[in-house]
Amino acid sequence: MPVKALAAAGICLAMLGAAAAWLTLGREPSPSCNGLAQDTRVRTSMGAAIQPGMSCAALGEAIVKATAGSEPGRHTRAQAQTRKDVLFALARVQPKNFDLDPVLRVPLATAVADYGPDLHEMLAGLDSEYVLKAGHDMPPWEAGGTYHLSVYHTVFRATLRAVAEDSRAYALLRLTETRTAAERLAAVPAGATGSELSLQPTKNARAFGILDAVAVAVAVAVAVAVAVAVAVAVAVAVADAAKSQDAPEARIWHATVFDHLLNERADQADQDDHLTATWLQELKDTPGAARAERLRTQGVDMARTWAQARGMDEQTRKDLLPEVEISALCAYREAKP
């Protein structure tokens, strides 16, 4: 075999080994159902809902039932505590980048989505109460007729990253945050100025920026995983996939996210629902190849629609929208892989 061919083969094998090591060392195998059924606090919180030998699918359903309120956003202290215990249980036994059992991804996203205001605050990370009460030993607290919970941002983002490998789960969380963001914009007083006017749109942008970073991390991981699977034949693809979220596998993940988002319909009777419906329509009208970029401008797009609906003067809009864009970019850079 010619020397150049041997060298090329050696390089391919080295790349394959490095990629395999990245996947095996960076994403360690997880215990059955990610250890949730064995966690002491989860077992205490869920009680008889955890049965010996139950499947991961049954466990996921049990978690949804144990954490869901009588209506979205309304929870008892026990329900919020169970949700918190589950999040911390995942963090205690898993590495930073862990593989969540696939059948748990949508149930866990469903459970998180039922806590829309808490999802919003933990994503944005600007509410001091959520920061101060993030520790595991800090119980849920009551405000506004319901109980709220918080966990450390590292715990929360790692779980979001693991959940989001299922495109349906990611779309559910993204839509939940979209609706909460719209509600917060609609609640800004008509005569607001200065920081009172800018706080909510910039806070929304931070939340979307974190979700953007999660999407990029998942898309890259999906592309790398597929590239490793075929690396014996095309080892060079591993390095390319790791650098690009435009690989075919990443585009497929994004496309299914968009499908789930666009299957949703919002009631336009209220202003906040109108904002959600308007953004979904704009996403639908965007050509497929440009939708990923449109997703990354969601904070600005929703702020612009909101400003126009309020009849905001041109100078105020010009001052506000760049601030919103910077907020999203800073959050993305903070959380990007």
Side-chain angles (χ1 to χ4, degrees):
M1 182 180 292
V3 173
K4 288 185 178 180
L6 284 171
I11 291 172
C12 287
L13 288 173
M15 292 176 66
L16 175 59
W22 183 87
L23 288 174
T24 57
L25 295 178
R27 300 170 58 127
E28 299 172 8
S30 299
S32 175
C33 304
N34 293 87
L36 290 175
Q38 289 75 44
D39 184 86
T40 301
R41 293 206 186 193
V42 172
R43 293 179 68 86
T44 299
S45 292
M46 295 186 63
I50 294 184
Q51 297 293 322
M54 70 191 311
S55 67
C56 294
L59 177 61
E61 292 177 5
I63 289 172
V64 172
K65 290 179 181 178
T67 59
S70 56
E71 58 182 280
R74 297 289 179 181
H75 304 94
T76 65
R77 179 170 178 168
Q79 290 164 344
Q81 185 64 58
T82 300
R83 173 77 287 217
K84 183 164 185 166
D85 288 339
V86 168
L87 290 173
F88 268 106
L90 290 171
R92 274 201 300 276
V93 299
Q94 315 300 339
K96 181 179 179 181
N97 294 320
F98 65 91
D99 286 316
L100 185 62
D101 190 295
V103 301
L104 290 174
R105 290 170 185 159
V106 171
L108 288 180
T110 301
V112 170
D114 200 54
Y115 293 73
D118 295 334
L119 169 65
H120 176 74
E121 297 298 345
M122 286 189 283
L123 283 170
L126 297 180
D127 190 312
S128 60
E129 190 161 30
Y130 280 82
V131 175
L132 294 173
K133 296 181 178 179
H136 201 175
D137 293 327
M138 298 297 292
W141 69 97
E142 188 176 12
T146 188
Y147 278 87
H148 300 273
L149 70 106
S150 180
V151 298
Y152 297 128
H153 72 86
T154 51
V155 171
F156 192 60
R157 292 176 189 176
T159 302
L160 290 181
R161 160 67 182 76
V163 164
E165 289 203 30
D166 187 304
S167 56
R168 178 185 169 195
Y170 179 83
L172 174 60
L173 295 174
R174 187 94 191 193
L175 187 61
T176 299
E177 175 54 29
T178 298
R179 287 174 170 153
T180 303
E183 291 170 0
R184 298 301 173 89
L185 289 176
V188 176
T193 59
S195 60
E196 187 182 17
L197 179 69
S198 64
L199 176 61
Q200 290 306 330
T202 53
K203 196 172 183 179
N204 290 349
R206 269 195 59 79
F208 288 129
I210 299 298
L211 287 176
D212 291 340
V214 169
V216 170
V218 171
V220 170
V222 168
V224 170
V226 173
V228 168
V230 298
V232 172
V234 286
V236 182
V238 176
D240 290 342
K243 296 176 182 177
S244 175
Q245 56 170 320
D246 294 324
E249 297 75 26
R251 291 199 296 271
I252 291 172
W253 182 87
H254 271 109
T256 53
V257 166
F258 300 139
D259 286 343
H260 290 305
L261 284 173
L262 296 176
N263 282 335
E264 296 292 335
R265 293 293 182 267
D267 181 359
Q268 297 190 40
D270 298 324
Q271 181 185 357
D272 55 317
D273 288 329
H274 173 69
L275 285 171
T276 299
T278 299
W279 180 75
L280 287 172
Q281 186 61 50
E282 289 174 350
L283 184 66
K284 182 178 181 180
D285 293 341
T286 302
R291 282 178 177 169
E293 180 59 33
R294 192 61 184 261
L295 206 64
R296 287 190 288 270
T297 64
Q298 183 176 1
V300 175
D301 290 342
M302 289 186 69
R304 181 182 296 109
T305 299
W306 168 71
Q308 291 171 346
R310 286 172 65 95
M312 193 178 295
D313 66 84
E314 184 178 357
Q315 187 56 53
T316 302
R317 289 201 305 269
K318 285 183 177 180
D319 292 339
L320 176 65
L321 295 181
E323 187 177 348
V324 173
E325 185 174 10
I326 291 171
S327 180
L329 180 59
C330 289
Y332 169 77
R333 288 176 175 173
E334 170 190 319
K336 73 177 181 179

